[in-house]
């Protein structure tokens, strides 16, 4: 297979001052991309700021690559637009966006404050929206682009004490799926990853497993999804420890009460095993496919 390269391409990586984002930025640059390293430089709970992006830019340039730093917060429309403008001002365009910025404010649901909810949603979900929208406009006009969103096992499957984080992370799946549909006619592909890797956000949670979950073992999936070699869109991939797997939502046939009949709650209870059965599921790519399946069943 031909090597995957990014010559003459421009990539924006948010939250790239450390951890997974740093790994993505370094690998994209090593393969020829010009990279905007965006990072506010905050702490794991999202407070404070530093010039963490400068260190990653230095690593890239010292290795012979091209990169510029961006310190804008993605949590506002203005900040998101500035990140993309940084790419245009420095390199003339944007071809790739890897939405990686984020932090944690874990709290059990009864104790979760509105500040802890809004802070997470503003950076993870709205931040990805604010960066991707101006980038999408550029990509649509030029007829090419790659968007990579970062979800999480917490969003896909749930995790105790992460209601805010999980809600934002699952929201990113929906956002990516819509952009995959809207981008299909103009060469813009959009996919989502759910990484598991040791970082300052997760090292305490992973314990001894951390040594098996280095961030650079996730990077190959991101690099592929960001490349011209990628021909999939609207999909979700788990990436952890060098293992890569597709995650999907399936719609099973379920149980149909019968044409013209009025089912009751008791009917649902009596047939819950059939309703819950996973046999014969379908993986849909848009909401109209469900309507088509439903029409077939009802007829």
């Amino acid at each position: 297979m031909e090597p995957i390269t990014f010559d003459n391409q421009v990539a924006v990586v948010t939250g790239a001052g450390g951890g997974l984002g740093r790994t993505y930025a370094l690998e994209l640059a090593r393969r020829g991309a010009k990279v905007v390293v965006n990072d506010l430089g905050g702490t794991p709970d999202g407070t404070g700021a530093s010039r963490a992006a400068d260190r990653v830019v230095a690593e890239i340039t010292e290795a012979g690559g091209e990169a510029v730093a961006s310190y804008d917060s993605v949590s506002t429309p203005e900040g998101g637009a500035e990140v993309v403008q940084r790419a245009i001002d420095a390199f003339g365009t944007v071809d790739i966006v890897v939405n990686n910025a984020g932090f944690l404010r874990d709290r059990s649901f009864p104790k979760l404050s509105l500040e802890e909810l809004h802070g997470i949603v503003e950076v993870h979900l709205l931040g990805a929206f604010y960066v991707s929208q101006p980038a999408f406009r550029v990509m649509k006009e030029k007829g090419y682009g790659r968007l990579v969103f970062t979800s999480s096992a917490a969003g896909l499957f749930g995790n105790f004490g992460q209601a805010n984080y999980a809600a934002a992370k699952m929201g990113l799946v929906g956002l990516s799926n819509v952009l995959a549909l809207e981008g299909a006619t103009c060469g813009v592909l959009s996919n989502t990853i759910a990484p598991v890797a040791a970082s300052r956000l997760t090292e305490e949670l992973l314990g001894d497993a951390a040594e098996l979950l280095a961030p650079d073992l996730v990077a190959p999936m991101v690099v592929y999804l960001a490349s011209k070699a990628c021909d999939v869109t609207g999909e979700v991939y788990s990436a952890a420890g060098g293992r890569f797997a597709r995650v999907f939502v399936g719609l099973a046939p379920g149980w149909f009460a019968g044409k013209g009949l009025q089912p009751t709650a008791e009917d649902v209870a009596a047939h819950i095993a059939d309703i819950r059965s996973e046999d014969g599921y379908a993986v849909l790519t848009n909401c109209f496919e469900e309507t088509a399946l439903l029409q077939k069943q009802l007829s």
Side-chain angles (χ1 to χ4, degrees):
M1 186 175 184
E2 290 292 318
I4 290 177
T5 61
F6 296 89
D7 297 338
N8 300 315
Q9 289 191 278
V10 179
V12 170
V13 184
T14 68
L20 285 166
R22 169 183 170 273
T23 304
Y24 305 154
L26 292 176
E27 184 63 10
L28 289 167
R30 188 183 72 80
R31 291 172 177 267
K34 301 171 183 177
V35 182
V36 175
V37 179
N38 166 258
D39 204 301
L40 181 65
T43 61
D45 68 357
T47 58
S50 69
R51 292 298 178 99
D54 289 345
R55 294 192 292 271
V56 180
V57 169
E59 288 184 80
I60 291 172
T61 56
E62 287 168 7
E66 293 185 65
V68 294
S70 160
Y71 318 110
D72 295 288
S73 171
V74 300
S75 65
T76 67
E78 296 78 15
E82 282 300 319
V83 175
V84 176
Q85 192 61 47
R86 182 75 168 125
I88 294 170
D89 291 344
F91 304 122
T93 190
V94 59
D95 301 283
I96 299 156
V97 171
V98 180
N99 287 293
N100 172 74
F103 58 89
L104 296 176
R105 288 182 183 170
D106 295 354
R107 193 83 61 195
S108 64
F109 188 61
K111 298 178 181 178
L112 184 68
S113 70
L114 289 178
E115 181 183 1
E116 289 165 333
L117 169 64
H118 292 164
I120 290 294
V121 171
E122 285 167 2
V123 171
H124 288 269
L125 179 56
L126 297 182
F129 185 101
Y130 294 148
V131 174
S132 298
Q133 188 177 51
F136 188 92
R137 291 173 179 142
V138 175
M139 294 172 180
K140 182 177 180 180
E141 184 174 349
K142 67 192 291 184
Y144 178 86
R146 297 290 185 268
L147 298 167
V148 182
F149 293 86
T150 305
S151 186
S152 167
L156 297 169
F157 311 119
N159 193 36
F160 187 92
Q162 292 193 312
N164 51 356
Y165 180 77
K169 286 303 191 185
M170 198 59 181
L172 288 165
V173 175
L175 175 58
S176 177
N177 288 347
V178 170
L179 298 189
L181 294 173
E182 294 193 13
T185 58
C186 55
V188 180
L189 307 187
S190 180
N191 291 284
T192 306
I193 61 159
V196 181
S199 71
R200 62 181 186 154
L201 298 185
T202 62
E203 56 189 0
E204 293 183 5
L205 301 174
L206 295 175
D208 294 339
E211 61 186 42
L212 303 175
L213 297 168
D216 57 7
L217 295 176
V218 171
M221 189 80 242
V222 173
V223 169
Y224 166 73
L225 293 175
S227 73
K228 291 181 178 179
C230 176
D231 59 2
V232 299
T233 193
E235 297 186 354
V236 182
Y237 294 92
S238 171
R243 189 276 289 130
F244 309 99
R246 185 179 175 193
V247 181
F248 54 85
V249 175
L251 176 67
W255 170 75
F256 177 38
K259 192 171 182 178
L261 299 180
Q262 175 62 54
T264 66
E266 289 78 11
D267 291 329
V268 171
H271 293 90
I272 195 63
D274 296 326
I275 294 168
R276 295 186 68 245
S277 174
E278 299 171 7
D279 295 339
Y281 67 81
V283 180
L284 310 182
T285 60
N286 61 68
C287 63
F288 296 108
E289 290 184 359
E290 180 182 14
T291 303
L293 282 176
L294 185 59
Q295 287 176 333
K296 184 177 181 181
Q297 284 180 297
L298 296 183
S299 64

